[in-house]
Amino acid sequence: MSDYLVKALAYDGTVRAYAIRSTAMVQEAANRHETWRTVTAALGRALSAGTMMGAMLKGDEKLTIKIEGNGPASPIVIDANARGEARGYVSNAQVDPERKASGKLNVSEAVGTAGSLSVVKDLGMRDNFTGSVPLVSGEIAEDFTYYFATSEQTPSSVGLGVVVGKDEVVEGAGGFIIQLMPGASDETIEKIEKNLGNMKPISQLVQEGLTPEEILETILGDGKVKVIDQMGVLFQCRCSRERISNAIMSLDKTEIIAMIEEDGGAETTCHFCNKTYNFSKEDLQSIMEEKDQQ
Ligand code: ZN
């Protein structure tokens, strides 16, 4: 069962909907960052939402989401594009708050209940679009719901679920974003609200293995969902040795000399995917020679 997302319309196009299965990508993020379960859930929820938001973009557009709460795992940063690729990290992966009385992972404890959620969209124009809202709960889905309503003036319902089992294995991850377009009737809104109120928690649906299409049918009603696009999704970081090398080359010469003479090399780790790149003295010297030739 590979990860994918669907974009759909319902009720004569007055409802726009997205749903995702992100189990493998969340597991990949957890493996790379060695997150503990509550942080896996926090990062996984944000990654799932970010990937769906990426799917709202076109072509080479991309976005960055930053959740800066007052909890120990924050900030959480997610990058996503329109091709179903996303990457992300947390500032502290090894946080282990106690579960809630209900037995659920205490995500808001890890993220924090006060702070902000901001979204920067690079739409290929001179200025980026930026929206920022205060955190509502730190549980992430509610925070995105508030973001859409406030910053994008789009009434939305966001559900995100990550189930972490024994040995930190991600047993299921996924979610949905339902958005009301202008012209949505009261009847449509009532029906969706009723379905949302009656459905099982999203974490249970993803654990049961419901497909994104089935999740949308649960919320919007059988036979109401018109899928308009489907795409594979994955955790993908485009960092490379060459990019890091270019970054080093753009540094001041004295800084590169300091790396050679004082540190005897350079080691740098990509925040997003936790991959480490090592540059020996000789590597740095050849970078400097190349810089001199520019
Ligand atoms: Zn990377």
Side-chain angles (χ1 to χ4, degrees), residues 1 13 31 34 52-53 60 83 91 94-95 143 147 152 159 162 188 193 195 198 203 248 264 273 281 290:
M1 292 210 300
N31 293 347
E34 295 174 26
M52 286 189 280
M53 285 176 72
D60 290 330
R83 295 181 296 276
S91 76
Q94 279 102 37
V95 172
D143 303 300
Y147 163 80
E152 300 199 3
V162 175
T188 300
E193 280 177 352
N195 290 347
N198 290 337
S203 54
I248 294 173
C273 68
K281 243 178 173 171
E290 211 179 315

Side-chain angles (χ1 to χ4, degrees), residues 6-18 179 181 216 220 223-229:
V6 294
K7 298 189 216 181
L9 293 171
Y11 300 96
D12 297 322
T14 59
V15 176
R16 198 164 58 182
Y18 302 82
Q179 301 193 308
M181 299 291 106
L216 292 184
L220 300 171
K224 301 284 187 198
V225 180
K226 187 181 162 212
V227 173
I228 54 169
D229 197 9

Side-chain angles (χ1 to χ4, degrees), residues 241-251 287 290 294:
R241 193 174 169 81
E242 195 188 347
R243 283 194 187 193
I244 309 272
S245 159
N246 286 337
I248 294 173
M249 208 182 297
S250 69
L251 294 174
I287 288 173
E290 211 179 315
Q294 281 179 347

Side-chain angles (χ1 to χ4, degrees), residues 32 87 235-240 244 269-275 277:
R32 285 178 186 253
R87 57 182 191 166
F235 185 101
Q236 172 87 282
C237 186
R238 295 202 174 271
C239 68
S240 65
I244 309 272
T269 301
C270 173
H271 276 311
F272 280 100
C273 68
N274 222 13
K275 187 170 175 174
Y277 294 89

Side-chain angles (χ1 to χ4, degrees), residues 122-129:
D122 177 353
L123 307 176
M125 289 183 276
R126 204 180 55 167
D127 296 316
N128 288 339
F129 163 90

Side-chain angles (χ1 to χ4, degrees), residues 117-251:
L117 183 160
S118 60
V119 177
V120 178
K121 291 184 189 172
D122 177 353
L123 307 176
M125 289 183 276
R126 204 180 55 167
D127 296 316
N128 288 339
F129 163 90
T130 307
S132 183
V133 294
L135 290 183
V136 178
S137 70
E139 289 287 327
I140 299 180
E142 289 164 272
D143 303 300
F144 277 104
T145 299
Y146 186 68
Y147 163 80
F148 284 119
T150 309
S151 207
E152 300 199 3
Q153 286 86 44
T154 308
S156 306
S157 176
V158 181
L160 302 164
V162 175
V163 182
V164 187
K166 279 194 191 126
D167 305 322
E168 308 291 328
V169 170
V170 178
E171 292 179 348
F176 62 84
I177 300 174
I178 308 292
Q179 301 193 308
L180 298 175
M181 299 291 106
S185 71
D186 290 346
E187 203 189 335
T188 300
I189 297 169
E190 270 170 40
K191 180 151 202 268
I192 295 171
E193 280 177 352
K194 195 171 152 220
N195 290 347
L196 284 166
N198 290 337
M199 71 188 264
K200 294 178 193 168
I202 181 68
S203 54
Q204 197 174 331
L205 298 185
V206 299
Q207 193 172 24
E208 286 174 8
L210 263 71
T211 64
E213 291 88 341
E214 286 166 341
I215 290 170
L216 292 184
E217 292 231 320
T218 305
I219 301 163
L220 300 171
D222 283 342
K224 301 284 187 198
V225 180
K226 187 181 162 212
V227 173
I228 54 169
D229 197 9
Q230 193 201 74
M231 67 169 96
V233 296
L234 79 164
F235 185 101
Q236 172 87 282
C237 186
R238 295 202 174 271
C239 68
S240 65
R241 193 174 169 81
E242 195 188 347
R243 283 194 187 193
I244 309 272
S245 159
N246 286 337
I248 294 173
M249 208 182 297
S250 69
L251 294 174

